[in-house]
């Protein structure tokens, strides 16, 4: 382990608030005891208030006021970091290897009691996400690096309309994680506009020497959400969607990624949404069908008719399937 990492590790160990001998530190970090003395001298010389006590119950410790320095974390902060790492890893975070190394160090430099507490909290905390192809990891790493150094990348991208991937040059502005998927918001040289690309559809990615500059104050999140959920200001034919039903079913609808954005009023057994008539007829039936008889559309009447038509089409479809 590099010298700086070992010196930081000594600070972590002494941050427990208990005294530790040079022998205990050397055994914990697996370094020579003379090296421990050298590092402690260096820390003291840099201004770290390490107290040395000799005798049978002696050892090294830190002054209380230094324990709360911004460099070190209390137990709640450590738990929060480890829990956040679980979320990030399950989401396919591009720097998972570095994250794993950092959290391993965090757990390593604890005394036995602290390590036991952290292990208990990790054992009782799980994040379950959908399985994704491991091939997306190198793509995310390349995109993250390109965003950082502002260099264009060349990608082979397969959209949902294309059977074969197409080559594109993009300037990646930012990564967005939404609804269990990774997206990159980028300027597309082919279309000469900013677009959103699903990372899992990038078949191949290559760095280039083409430098770009991201627009000042550009927000990948803002761009993504604006395109995902259009603003209704200035739109025509905005109507109310009124739904009654069981409270738990309405809770789900009100938290829906699309409908929740347009929620205007909610009572125990009723929810009212305001959105474009076109959206109501084209998208909402597919959102509502899985809820069956647990909900009831009150208005508009046209949506009731649309639900009847969609359900009838499904019924006829499966009747034909049974005959064959």
């Amino acid at each position: 382990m590099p010298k700086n990492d070992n010196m930081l590790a000594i600070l972590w160990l002494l941050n427990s608030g208990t005294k530790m001998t040079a022998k205990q530190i050397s055994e914990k970090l697996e370094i020579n005891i003379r090296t421990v003395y050298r590092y402690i001298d260096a820390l003291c010389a840099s201004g770290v208030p390490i107290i040395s006590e000799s005798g049978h119950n002696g050892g090294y410790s830190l002054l209380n006021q230094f324990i709360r320095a911004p460099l070190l974390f209390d137990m709640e902060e450590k738990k929060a970091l480890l829990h956040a790492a679980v979320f990030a890893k399950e989401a396919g975070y591009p720097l998972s290897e570095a994250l794993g190394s950092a959290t391993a160090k965090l757990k390593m430099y604890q005394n036995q009691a602290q390590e036991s507490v952290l292990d208990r909290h990790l054992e009782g905390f799980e994040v379950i996400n959908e399985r994704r192809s491991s091939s997306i990891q190198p793509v995310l790493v390349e995109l993250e690096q390109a965003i950082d150094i502002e260099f264009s990348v060349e990608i082979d991208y397969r959209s949902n309309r294309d059977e074969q991937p197409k080559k594109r040059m993009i300037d990646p502005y930012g990564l967005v994680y939404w609804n269990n998927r990774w997206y990159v918001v980028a300027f597309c040289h082919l279309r000469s506009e900013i677009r959103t690309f699903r990372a899992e559809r990038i078949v191949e990615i290559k760095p280039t020497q083409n430098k770009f500059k991201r627009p000042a104050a550009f927000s990948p999140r803002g761009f993504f959400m604006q395109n995902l959920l259009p603003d209704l200001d200035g739109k025509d034919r905005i109507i109310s969607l009124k739904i009654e039903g069981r409270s738990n079913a309405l809770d789900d609808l009100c938290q829906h990624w699309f409908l929740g954005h347009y929620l205007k009023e909610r009572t125990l057994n009723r929810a009212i949404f305001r959105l474009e008539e076109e959206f109501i007829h084209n998208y909402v039936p597919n959102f509502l069908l899985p809820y069956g008889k647990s909900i009831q559309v009150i208005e508009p009447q046209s949506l009731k008719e649309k639900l009847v038509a969609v359900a009838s089409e499904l019924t006829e479809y499966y009747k034909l399937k049974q005959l064959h």
Side-chain angles (χ1 to χ4, degrees), residues 8 76 132 135 215 244 300 324:
L8 181 58
E76 289 300 307
R132 57 179 51 79
S135 62
E244 291 184 352
H324 294 83

Side-chain angles (χ1 to χ4, degrees), residues 28-296:
K28 182 73 174 177
L29 302 183
E30 298 181 348
I31 57 178
N32 190 283
I33 193 169
R34 291 183 179 177
T35 304
V36 173
Y37 291 134
R38 233 180 19 253
Y39 288 163
I40 287 178
D41 287 341
L43 287 168
C44 290
S46 65
V48 177
I50 297 177
I51 301 172
S52 175
E53 297 183 32
S54 58
H56 178 67
N57 295 317
Y60 294 104
S61 61
L62 285 173
L63 279 177
N64 289 336
Q65 62 265 29
F66 187 80
I67 293 176
R68 296 195 176 276
L71 175 66
L72 306 174
F73 306 112
D74 62 28
M75 184 55 69
E76 289 300 307
E77 291 169 332
K78 293 172 188 174
K79 287 187 293 186
L81 290 171
L82 291 175
H83 286 172
V86 174
F87 271 105
K89 182 179 180 181
E90 199 64 24
Y93 178 60
L95 302 180
S96 291
E97 187 175 339
L99 182 63
S101 174
T103 53
K105 288 178 183 177
L106 185 65
K107 291 176 63 179
M108 183 186 303
Y109 306 143
Q110 313 302 312
N111 60 33
Q112 190 171 359
Q114 290 173 320
E115 192 172 353
S116 178
V117 169
L118 291 176
D119 285 340
R120 276 203 314 276
H121 280 275
L122 282 176
E123 288 168 3
F125 185 85
E126 298 285 351
V127 177
I128 299 175
N129 210 339
E130 66 177 26
R131 291 189 174 273
R132 57 179 51 79
S133 171
S134 59
S135 62
I136 195 176
Q137 190 73 17
V139 170
L140 293 175
V141 171
E142 288 284 353
L143 288 172
E144 193 277 332
Q145 292 175 348
I147 292 167
D148 179 47
I149 61 177
E150 295 187 324
F151 272 93
S152 306
V153 292
E154 187 179 87
I155 61 173
D156 290 346
Y157 188 76
R158 182 189 290 114
S159 71
N160 56 358
R161 298 182 300 273
D162 300 326
E163 292 185 6
Q164 297 298 324
K166 293 182 178 179
K167 287 194 178 297
R168 297 171 185 254
M169 177 84 78
I170 64 171
D171 303 339
Y173 291 164
L175 287 170
V176 176
Y177 183 74
W178 179 82
N179 202 21
N180 296 328
R181 298 187 188 279
W182 284 96
Y183 298 81
V184 57
V185 177
F187 178 82
C188 176
H189 288 245
L190 179 65
R191 304 296 183 190
S192 295
E193 63 182 7
I194 300 174
R195 307 192 74 173
T196 299
F197 301 89
R198 269 172 55 173
E200 64 198 52
R201 290 179 178 168
I202 298 176
V203 179
E204 190 173 349
I205 182 168
K206 296 178 182 177
T208 73
Q209 296 301 312
N210 184 54
K211 187 78 173 170
F212 71 87
K213 187 67 178 175
R214 182 170 58 185
F218 178 81
S219 168
R221 174 195 172 94
F223 178 87
F224 184 88
M225 295 305 295
Q226 183 180 3
N227 284 267
L228 181 70
L229 300 168
D231 196 337
L232 297 182
D233 288 345
K235 299 285 187 179
D236 296 327
R237 299 297 299 165
I238 306 300
I239 61 176
S240 293
L241 166 63
K242 296 182 181 179
I243 300 175
E244 291 184 352
R246 298 176 190 166
S247 180
N248 59 343
L250 292 178
D251 287 342
D252 282 348
L253 284 176
C254 292
Q255 295 171 18
H256 188 273
W257 67 268
F258 181 84
L259 287 176
H261 185 66
Y262 302 103
L263 178 66
K264 294 301 177 184
E265 183 181 329
R266 170 68 199 277
T267 61
L268 181 62
N269 299 114
R270 172 177 286 196
I272 301 176
F273 306 87
R274 292 277 296 172
L275 62 165
E276 277 192 278
E277 186 176 18
E278 180 186 357
F279 291 166
I280 288 178
H281 293 150
N282 292 342
Y283 302 113
V284 173
N286 295 323
F287 299 152
L288 300 185
L289 280 174
Y291 291 91
K293 293 186 288 185
S294 65
I295 62 170
Q296 179 184 359

Side-chain angles (χ1 to χ4, degrees), residues 297-315:
V297 174
I298 305 302
E299 61 178 63
Q301 178 64 30
S302 58
L303 178 57
K304 297 181 185 180
E305 296 168 358
K306 182 68 174 180
L307 282 167
V308 170
V310 172
S312 298
E313 288 176 9
L314 283 172
T315 302

